[in-house]
Amino acid sequence: MAGILDGVDQRTKLAGRNRLELLLFRLAGRQRFGINVFKVQEVIQCPPLTQLPGSHPVVRGIANMRGKTITVMDLSQAIGGPPLANIEGRFVIITEYNRRVQGFLVGSVDRIVNMNWGDILPPPKGAAKGSYMTAVTRVDEELVEIIDVEKVLSEIVTVSEDVSEGVIEEEAIDETQHVLIADDSSVARNQVKRVLDKLGVMTTVCNDGKQALDQLKAWTNEGRRVSDFLSLVISDVEMPVMDGYTLTTEIRKDPALANLQVILHTSLSGVFNQSMIEKVGANSFLAKFEPDELARVVQTRLKQHKLELKALSS
C-alpha cells in the first residue's frame, strides 16, 4: 500500500467541485466498500495487536505506531458481519473522525477512484432502518457501499452528546428562530438536532445538500424572505448528490440566499477545511462533534440574528 495516499495536494483541488476520491476495500466477502480518502491518514499491513481485556467486542486490540497508541476495530464485525480471521494478512486503514484517530481492520484494500458526488446516491429506500450504509455508488458495474462511520463509532466509543450545565444562555433561547441542518448521517443529524432542541429553536432537517438547496429555493418561491426567519444553515461536507462545499457555493450564487450564515460542520481535516471555507464562502468551520462548542456557536449566531432583524425593523 506504499504510495496509495500520495498526492494529497492534488486531491485537495477536487473539493469545491462536487468531487471526491474513495478508497475501495473489502471486508469478509466480495462486497466492496468505500471511504473518503480525506479521512484516511495511512493504510498499513496489520501490525501486531495487544488485546485489551474488557474492551468492546469489535476492538481487536491496540497498536503502537510512531509512539502513538491506536485502537484497531474490526470493521466487518462492527457492521454486523463475521469477525475477520487471519488478521496478520489483513490491512488497517488509519482514519481521523470527529477529532479522534483510530484504525479499521479490513480484509483487503483495492484502489482509489475519483468520483463525482452526483454519482454517490442515498441508500435504497428498501434498506433496513439499522443499516450502516450512508450512501452507495457503482464502480466497474459493481455496487459500492459507503459506510456510516459516525454510526459505527457512536456504538463503540462513548461520547457525551449532552450540553454541559451553564453553557445554554436563557436569553439566547428563541422559539421564533429557525436553523436548517444538512447531513447524510442519521447519527450526526440527531446529534445536532438534540443540541438545537435544547436551545429551543425550530429545525428543518435534510439528508444531503441537494435536499437543503431545494428547501431553500422552495421557501424563496413561496415569496418568503429566507433571511428573515432562517438564522443559520449547518451543513456537513460529505454528502451524496451534492456536498456541503457545493451547497455553500450555490447559496452564495443566489441573490435571495446569498446573505445566509453557513457553518460547515464536518469530521474532515481542520486545516483543509479552513482554506476551503474561504474558497466557497462559508462563514465558519466547526469540527464534529462537541455539543458545548456547537451550542456556543449557535447561540452567538442567534443573538446576532436578533440584532440584525431589530436593525432592519427600526
Side-chain angles (χ1 to χ4, degrees), residues 243-258:
D243 67 18
Y245 293 132
T246 305
L247 169 62
T248 306
T249 300
E250 292 299 315
I251 287 172
R252 294 296 177 241
K253 283 165 51 177
D254 189 330
L257 304 173

Side-chain angles (χ1 to χ4, degrees), residues 67-94:
K68 293 184 179 180
T69 301
I70 304 292
T71 300
V72 177
M73 309 173 197
D74 188 324
L75 192 52
S76 175
Q77 196 174 355
I79 65 171
L84 292 169
N86 304 318
I87 65 173
E88 301 81 11
R90 307 297 188 172
F91 292 88
V92 175
I93 302 175
I94 307 297

Side-chain angles (χ1 to χ4, degrees), residues 170 194 221 251:
E170 292 299 322
R194 276 194 290 271
N221 292 338
I251 287 172

Side-chain angles (χ1 to χ4, degrees), residues 168-179 195-203 228-232 298-310:
I168 296 178
E169 307 168 25
E170 292 299 322
E171 64 272 19
I173 296 177
D174 186 347
E175 295 180 357
T176 66
Q177 301 222 47
H178 199 131
V179 174
V195 171
L196 297 182
D197 286 347
K198 292 184 178 181
L199 295 176
V201 299
M202 293 183 288
T203 55
D228 283 351
F229 66 89
L230 190 67
S231 305
L232 180 64
V298 172
Q299 285 180 117
T300 298
R301 173 55 194 158
L302 296 180
K303 288 185 283 189
Q304 181 186 28
H305 193 225
K306 275 186 187 178
L307 294 174
E308 290 170 356
L309 294 178
K310 187 175 181 180

Side-chain angles (χ1 to χ4, degrees), residues 20-27 31-40 75 79 93 95 97 104 106 108-113 115 117 120 132-137 139 142-149 238:
L20 79 158
E21 287 194 318
L22 288 178
L23 174 62
L24 304 182
F25 58 91
R26 288 183 170 88
L27 297 175
Q31 174 63 51
R32 281 194 204 175
F33 298 89
I35 185 174
N36 192 331
V37 167
F38 270 113
K39 290 183 174 175
V40 177
L75 192 52
I79 65 171
I93 302 175
T95 67
Y97 277 86
F104 289 113
V106 301
S108 61
V109 176
D110 188 351
R111 67 186 195 274
I112 289 174
V113 292
M115 304 287 295
W117 273 111
I120 310 295
Y132 290 88
M133 280 188 294
T134 189
V136 296
T137 190
V139 176
E142 288 184 23
L143 184 73
V144 174
E145 296 183 13
I146 300 172
I147 296 175
D148 187 347
V149 178
E238 292 185 290

Side-chain angles (χ1 to χ4, degrees), residues 18-19 114-121 136-138 240-241:
N18 213 40
R19 299 192 69 82
N114 186 312
M115 304 287 295
N116 188 303
W117 273 111
D119 296 324
I120 310 295
L121 304 174
V136 296
T137 190
R138 298 195 77 85
V241 185

